[in-house]
Each structure stands twice: as C-alpha cells, then as structure tokens.
Amino acid sequence: MPDPATVTGVYLITGIQAAGKSTVAQALAERLPRSVHVRGDVFRRFVIGGRAEMSPEPGAEALEQLRLRYRLAAGVADDYAAFGFTVVLQDVVLGPMLPYLIGRIRTRPLRVVVLAPRPDVVADREARRAKRAYGAYTVADLDAGLRRDTPLLGLWLDNSDLTVDRTVDEILDRAAPFEPDPLG
C-alpha cells in the first residue's frame, strides 16, 4: 500500500446511489494527511428555484444542470488541489457523463474509482438508511445503466462484501493514476 502521506491529486469516487460513495470518500479523505472531501451533489442542492431533477428520460435543462454541477465540482477539486490538498470528489457519475467529468478535471494524478456493489446489497443499504435516493429510478435500473452504459474507466470495485476500511485499503492499493486517451 502506498504511504498515504505521499498520495496527492484527485480521487473521483462514483457509483449508483447507496453504493457507499459518501462513506468511502469520507473514510479515504480521513486517511490522507491534507485532504478535502468534495460532495458533488451539493452543487445540485444549491439550486433553489428552477432546479431540473434527473429522471429516466431527462430533459435538456436537467442535462445542462447536471453538466454545470460536474463543471463546478471539477473546478473546486482543481482549486483545492492547486492549494496542495488531495481531493476526494464524490458524486453519481454514470454513462457518458463519466468521461465528461474526467475531461474537466485538470489535476494529475487523477484516480477514478467506480464502486459497483451487487444490486441486492445496494437495495439492502437503501432500505436501512434514513434518506431515500431512489424515486423515479429503481436500484435495478441504475445498476443496469451503470454496467451497460458507463465506460470501463479506472478501478471498478465490487465493495459488496468489504468493510469501509477494506474498501479504502483496496483504493489506496489499486487505484492507479488515470490518463485519458489523447486520441479519444
């Protein structure tokens, strides 16, 4: 395992709702000596009037707001990194939006981690937590979309049977710096 004191750059942690992103991102940030945990969803919640929520068939405004959210998150991550922090950026980033967000993060090294627990584990986690993330979507819908539509970029980690600490160990051990393909 690399020495956490030498780890810098940005970690992008994604996955569907209840995959463990928030908990794992916070635990990862706590392992690093100079770190920031950026929760991408906060940029969605900043919009009070006129917010267009994502849905299975999102409209143009919802997609534009999602892209804005990702641009804001990337900019904040880059600014913190430029100030010497290791950034753990966590958000739901699926399908073609994953390369979109990756393309907006300038900081290197960039490590991309996709948490992909089994759908039954996600459904159980969702049932046990106070907040409800699933409305128009089902766990099966989002999991299928994750696995079908999201490019296989970075480290895909099935954290179904891992503790939070073990998941962080796996990320520190296995999440290699990611360099987007310059040809496309």
Side-chain angles (χ1 to χ4, degrees):
M1 177 180 310
D3 176 2
T6 65
V7 177
T8 60
V10 173
Y11 285 87
L12 171 58
I13 311 289
T14 188
I16 65 174
Q17 288 97 327
K21 296 176 306 300
S22 298
T23 305
V24 167
Q26 183 67 30
L28 175 59
E30 289 173 1
R31 291 255 197 113
L32 303 169
R34 186 170 164 85
S35 61
V36 174
H37 178 185
V38 176
R39 298 168 189 265
D41 187 54
V42 74
F43 299 106
R44 177 189 65 85
R45 289 183 277 137
F46 282 160
V47 178
I48 304 303
R51 180 166 54 202
E53 299 288 0
M54 288 301 294
S55 67
E57 297 295 327
E61 179 68 15
L63 290 170
E64 280 303 310
Q65 288 184 24
L66 184 63
R67 284 189 279 273
L68 173 61
R69 164 180 163 176
Y70 293 152
R71 286 193 310 270
L72 291 168
V76 166
D78 284 336
D79 285 349
Y80 273 117
F83 202 73
F85 288 98
T86 299
V87 179
V88 182
L89 169 57
Q90 160 251 313
D91 204 344
V92 175
V93 189
L94 307 175
M97 289 298 174
L98 183 57
Y100 177 85
L101 177 53
I102 288 170
R104 272 131 198 91
I105 299 171
R106 296 181 320 270
T107 301
R108 297 296 180 265
L110 168 63
R111 293 169 177 88
V112 177
V113 178
V114 179
L115 297 180
R118 295 185 312 271
D120 63 300
V121 171
V122 172
D124 183 60
R125 289 176 183 170
E126 175 68 7
R128 288 186 286 123
R129 60 190 204 167
K131 71 177 184 177
R132 292 289 174 245
Y134 289 90
Y137 295 99
T138 67
V139 171
D141 291 338
L142 276 182
D143 183 74
L146 170 75
R147 296 174 197 279
R148 179 190 62 237
D149 301 332
T150 304
L152 295 173
L153 303 173
L155 170 65
W156 281 59
L157 184 60
D158 180 349
N159 59 324
S160 299
D161 300 317
L162 300 176
T163 65
V164 172
D165 283 338
R166 186 67 191 128
T167 301
V168 171
D169 290 343
E170 289 291 313
I171 291 168
L172 289 171
D173 281 346
R174 298 177 46 210
F178 177 81
E179 286 299 328
D181 182 353
L183 301 177

